[in-house]
Amino acid sequence: MKFLSAVVSFENLHEVRRLCHWGPVIALSVIGICSTMAMLDSIIWYWPLDTTGGSVNFIMLLNWTVLILYNYFNAMFVGPGYIPLGWKPESQQESQYLQFCRVCQGYKPPRSHHCRKCNRCVMKMDHHCPWINNCCGHQNHAYFTSFLFLAPLGCSHAAIIFIMTMYTQLYERISFGWSTVKIDMSAVRRVQPLMPFSVPAFAATLFALGLALGTTIAVGMLFFIQMKVILRNKTSIEAWIEEKAKDRIQYYQTGEEFVFPYDLGGRWENFKQVFTWSGTPRGDGIQWPIHPKCHQHTLTIEQLKQKADKRVRSVQYRAVEDYNGACCPVSKGLHTFFRTPCTEEPRIPLAKGDTILATRGTKWWMYGDKVLGEEQMKAGERIRGWFPRRCVEKCHYDTAASDNTSEKKIN
């Protein structure tokens, strides 16, 4: 009991609720199905107590399962690391280079971003991952990437076991005719396995094989995407900021040279910023080692420039139809229904007469901020998201640049 009370403290029990989400439920179900079926099929195909190879195969299978779950739960429960509420820089002068978060009532240090799902400012935020129901950031980036590395390896091993089990069990049950191929699942093999390989066992193995191959491909691609940004000491968000910086400089022809401040010049040096022997990443999540040509606020200054540019280039629209905020609204047309954005970003309900500052969009949907009243803005509210293009029309007069409320938008 003492051990349990030490592991599960009262103040951390709320973290267990992260498991009650479709992402962890699906992820753990896939891990459980693939691991369980691989162990059962190993008993049928390569009994671990008969040969050394069978023992090594079974131990490796258990090893994959333990390592995958270890990194998965660490990525989920260790968390990305959150900026303290109401955080301020030591020097008041530095605040002019930082964005202010009205939700957390504090400034955002370099590389931090506010997550709408977690409702906190996250250290070195990469993205919010639905599969762990948490953000991937400074403290759990190594665990998350290790999970992405181990899951395809474990699933590949399991897929080999599934294929070999089906091959060895069906080899003597397949009969070839002139025009047909028949599989007799009732045929008795010369050497009976410890567990019978029946029709349900065949169906379950085939289903697990599909899960294992799908996971290997999908998670393997995510691993390569993560490693690409890690070896440059970036996050997915920072890669997007860098791309927008180049577009801004080219659009305005400013002649600036934007150097990404956190790329230390070598892949190994960048790699060591995330992966350490202790499992704890380098740094405190606020101060970072930087490129010689840059300073601590190079990226935050660029973000402020992009925010100002976003306000200037935003277009004002007025709602002409009501919209209830549905993800796939049937009443707004088939194109709107089938072309809904494939993203977790929210949809915002609209009432006729609402004003929206749109910043981007597709042919059938638009994304922007709803213009709020002064009291709502003082309370720190911000309503932004996607809405159908057919529900709004462009204002014939440009008030986006001159509207005082747009200057008070939350960063």
Side-chain angles (χ1 to χ4, degrees):
M1 293 297 294
K2 290 183 178 180
F3 174 76
L4 288 176
S5 62
V7 173
V8 184
S9 60
F10 178 77
E11 60 186 13
N12 292 328
L13 278 177
H14 71 281
E15 291 292 335
V16 180
R17 291 182 296 179
R18 293 191 181 277
L19 294 169
C20 303
H21 182 264
W22 63 264
V25 169
I26 294 176
L28 292 174
S29 297
V30 171
I31 295 171
I33 291 172
C34 290
S35 299
T36 303
M37 287 305 303
M39 292 177 188
L40 294 176
D41 283 359
S42 291
I43 296 174
I44 297 175
W45 167 57
Y46 208 176
W47 177 239
L49 299 182
D50 284 346
T51 62
T52 303
S55 301
V56 172
N57 172 69
F58 200 79
I59 291 172
M60 284 184 62
L61 191 60
L62 290 173
N63 181 62
W64 292 130
T65 304
V66 171
L67 288 177
I68 289 170
L69 290 176
Y70 172 79
N71 285 281
Y72 179 83
F73 285 122
N74 271 311
M76 179 186 293
F77 294 123
V78 169
Y82 300 108
I83 303 299
L85 296 174
W87 181 86
K88 297 180 180 179
E90 295 181 359
S91 173
Q92 187 64 28
Q93 187 176 1
E94 294 180 6
S95 61
Q96 63 181 317
Y97 306 124
L98 302 174
Q99 299 180 72
F100 184 81
C101 178
R102 291 186 181 274
V103 178
C104 298
Q105 287 297 303
Y107 288 92
K108 301 178 186 178
R111 312 191 79 175
S112 65
H113 302 273
H114 185 84
C115 175
R116 291 191 298 270
K117 296 287 185 180
C118 299
N119 204 33
R120 289 289 300 274
C121 287
V122 177
M123 296 179 179
K124 203 189 81 170
M125 179 179 174
D126 185 87
H127 68 287
H128 184 91
C129 178
W131 304 111
I132 63 173
N133 195 22
N134 206 341
C135 278
C136 175
H138 176 58
Q139 293 184 3
N140 64 350
H141 205 171
Y143 291 121
F144 180 77
T145 309
S146 298
F147 166 73
L148 297 182
F149 173 70
L150 293 166
L153 293 180
C155 287
S156 299
H157 185 189
I160 294 173
I161 294 174
F162 299 146
I163 293 171
M164 293 305 299
T165 301
M166 289 189 292
Y167 172 76
T168 56
Q169 294 299 310
L170 299 179
Y171 180 76
E172 296 181 2
R173 309 182 193 205
I174 301 177
S175 59
F176 296 90
W178 287 104
S179 60
T180 59
V181 178
K182 295 182 179 180
I183 301 177
D184 185 7
M185 295 299 294
S186 63
V188 179
R189 298 193 63 207
R190 296 190 187 94
V191 180
Q192 282 291 335
L194 185 64
M195 297 174 58
F197 193 72
S198 58
V199 174
F202 172 74
T205 300
L206 196 61
F207 176 70
L209 175 62
L211 287 180
L213 293 177
T215 302
T216 301
I217 296 171
V219 180
M221 291 175 62
L222 293 176
F223 169 72
F224 282 110
I225 293 172
Q226 280 295 312
M227 286 306 300
K228 183 178 179 180
V229 295
I230 286 176
L231 292 178
R232 298 175 182 177
N233 202 13
K234 297 179 183 177
T235 64
S236 301
I237 295 177
E238 290 167 353
W240 175 239
I241 293 173
E242 183 182 27
E243 190 68 26
K244 290 194 295 183
K246 295 176 182 178
D247 291 341
R248 182 186 62 80
I249 293 171
Q250 183 178 8
Y251 180 82
Y252 289 106
Q253 296 292 319
T254 60
E256 301 174 62
E257 179 188 6
F258 179 76
V259 178
F260 185 73
Y262 307 114
D263 188 347
L264 302 182
R267 293 184 177 182
W268 177 241
E269 286 298 321
N270 293 334
F271 180 85
K272 290 190 296 183
Q273 297 300 310
V274 176
F275 294 94
T276 61
W277 288 111
S278 64
T280 304
R282 295 185 178 181
D284 59 359
I286 295 178
Q287 297 287 331
W288 306 94
I290 55 174
H291 190 278
K293 294 183 179 180
C294 304
H295 55 82
Q296 286 291 333
H297 300 103
T298 297
L299 190 68
T300 58
I301 292 174
E302 174 58 34
Q303 287 178 264
L304 291 173
K305 290 180 180 179
Q306 292 181 13
K307 291 287 185 180
D309 181 51
K310 183 178 177 180
R311 287 194 290 269
V312 171
R313 295 167 70 172
S314 62
V315 181
Q316 185 165 311
Y317 286 80
R318 190 172 299 278
V320 294
E321 293 183 21
D322 292 338
Y323 167 57
N324 61 2
C327 182
C328 301
V330 181
S331 61
K332 302 304 178 184
L334 292 178
H335 286 293
T336 303
F337 178 82
F338 287 109
R339 302 291 183 87
T340 184
C342 297
T343 173
E344 282 199 337
E345 291 176 313
R347 276 63 169 168
I348 56 174
L350 299 177
K352 192 173 180 179
D354 285 345
T355 303
I356 309 98
L357 295 176
T359 55
R360 53 190 166 102
T362 64
K363 186 176 180 180
W364 306 103
W365 289 80
M366 301 191 73
Y367 185 92
D369 288 79
K370 185 186 290 188
V371 177
L372 304 177
E374 189 174 346
E375 293 183 0
Q376 291 176 298
M377 298 192 68
K378 286 182 178 180
E381 291 187 37
R382 184 179 188 181
I383 302 175
R384 61 176 176 174
W386 292 93
F387 52 90
R389 186 182 283 269
R390 62 171 286 176
C391 294
V392 297
E393 65 176 13
K394 185 177 179 180
C395 295
H396 297 293
Y397 49 90
D398 184 11
T399 59
S402 60
D403 193 348
N404 291 331
T405 59
S406 66
E407 294 297 328
K408 299 178 183 178
K409 291 199 318 178
I410 306 167
N411 293 322

